[in-house]
Amino acid sequence: MASKAFLIAVIVATVVAQTLATDHMVGDNDGWKLDVDYTAWPKGKIFYVGDTLTFMYKEGVHNVQKVNGSDFKQCMSTDSSSKPLTSGNDVINLATPGKKWYICGVGEHCSKGMKLSITVSVQGPTPAPMPTPWLTAPPPSSSSASEISPLKSLVLMVAVIAAYKIMIMA
């Protein structure tokens, strides 16, 4: 019985951790291209370890290079071992906390604003307390980064129901 409860706890924890991770599409609907303000884009967003950044752009027109702070300021990569991402749909896992810098290494694109600086936090978002039925609902969040998609919510509910049924059958 205890081993089934442990297995259920592991499954639920895994599903919950996956639903809390957020994929941030850089530039939102604009994607990764010239004439987008990537200094303003991260404002109001919180990036956590486990989240991902997705850089969407026309393949062959742009790229994504991870650089250090000094290279970011100079719009160039001095790390010859760091190869640019070029797929047009580049997903970067935010695996460690701290400051992260990305540039487009094509031509003068970086100096024209195609560069992104973010800070990744260790602590993930804490779930909001359940509202009491007699209170009015809080206003909707202004940041889509903190929302959980309906599909992820469904997966979480199915996992919880499955865990509950397993516990009852035991």
Side-chain angles (χ1 to χ4, degrees):
M1 179 70 172
S3 64
K4 281 187 181 180
F6 176 74
L7 178 62
I8 292 167
V10 168
I11 291 170
V12 170
T14 302
V15 170
V16 169
Q18 290 173 352
T19 61
L20 293 178
T22 301
D23 178 37
H24 301 276
M25 187 159 124
V26 175
D28 294 323
N29 292 335
D30 291 322
W32 184 238
K33 64 181 188 177
L34 291 167
D35 301 320
V36 175
D37 187 351
Y38 296 106
T39 303
W41 177 79
K43 288 186 179 7
K45 293 175 176 57
I46 302 174
F47 303 91
Y48 295 105
V49 169
D51 288 356
T52 56
L53 290 178
T54 299
F55 290 82
M56 298 287 293
Y57 56 93
K58 187 173 179 181
E59 186 177 357
V61 176
H62 303 293
N63 65 28
V64 179
Q65 289 184 288
K66 183 175 181 187
V67 295
N68 61 35
S70 174
D71 287 357
F72 180 81
K73 289 177 186 172
Q74 304 211 342
C75 276
M76 59 183 264
S77 176
T78 58
D79 183 359
S80 60
S81 68
S82 176
K83 302 294 179 207
L85 303 173
T86 60
S87 75
N89 184 18
D90 302 319
V91 178
I92 297 174
N93 182 35
L94 302 176
T96 59
K99 199 85 165 152
K100 310 290 180 199
W101 300 274
Y102 304 94
I103 64 171
C104 178
V106 174
E108 299 294 317
H109 293 188
C110 178
S111 62
K112 291 180 179 177
M114 282 190 71
K115 57 188 201 172
L116 173 68
S117 173
I118 64 167
T119 302
V120 179
S121 300
V122 177
Q123 178 70 25
T126 56
M130 293 297 293
T132 52
W134 57 86
L135 296 177
T136 58
S141 171
S142 62
S143 170
S144 63
S146 65
E147 295 176 4
I148 296 176
S149 74
L151 178 61
K152 288 181 180 179
S153 296
L154 176 64
V155 170
L156 177 59
M157 287 190 301
V158 168
V160 169
I161 291 169
Y164 177 74
K165 291 213 177 232
I166 290 170
M167 287 176 37
I168 289 176
M169 294 173 133

